[in-house]
Amino acid sequence: MDCTGITFADLTLLHTLITAAASPDLILAGPLPHSPTALLDGTQTNDLFTVAATLDDALRP
């Protein structure tokens, strides 16, 4: 999932991401903007997600 354009992140986004994290194919492609980074840090849910530095990195097998 390309996250570079996220400008606002709240618990609705977090709920959606946690639901989607059930798929082992979910990779958050960054660099992650401040808003989703702050949400994941503040809720201590970072470890639930695989984060790639770039979209290209996320698409590599």
Side-chain angles (χ1 to χ4, degrees):
M1 178 178 154
D2 183 354
C3 297
T4 58
I6 297 174
T7 58
F8 176 77
D10 64 3
L11 294 179
T12 301
L13 175 63
L14 181 62
H15 180 266
T16 301
L17 290 175
I18 289 172
T19 301
S23 168
D25 297 329
L26 178 69
I27 300 173
L28 305 181
L32 295 181
H34 174 75
S35 185
T37 299
L39 177 67
L40 297 179
D41 288 346
T43 57
Q44 298 178 353
T45 53
N46 310 54
D47 294 340
L48 297 178
F49 307 101
T50 301
V51 179
T54 67
L55 183 56
D56 286 340
D57 290 343
L59 295 174
R60 287 191 187 127

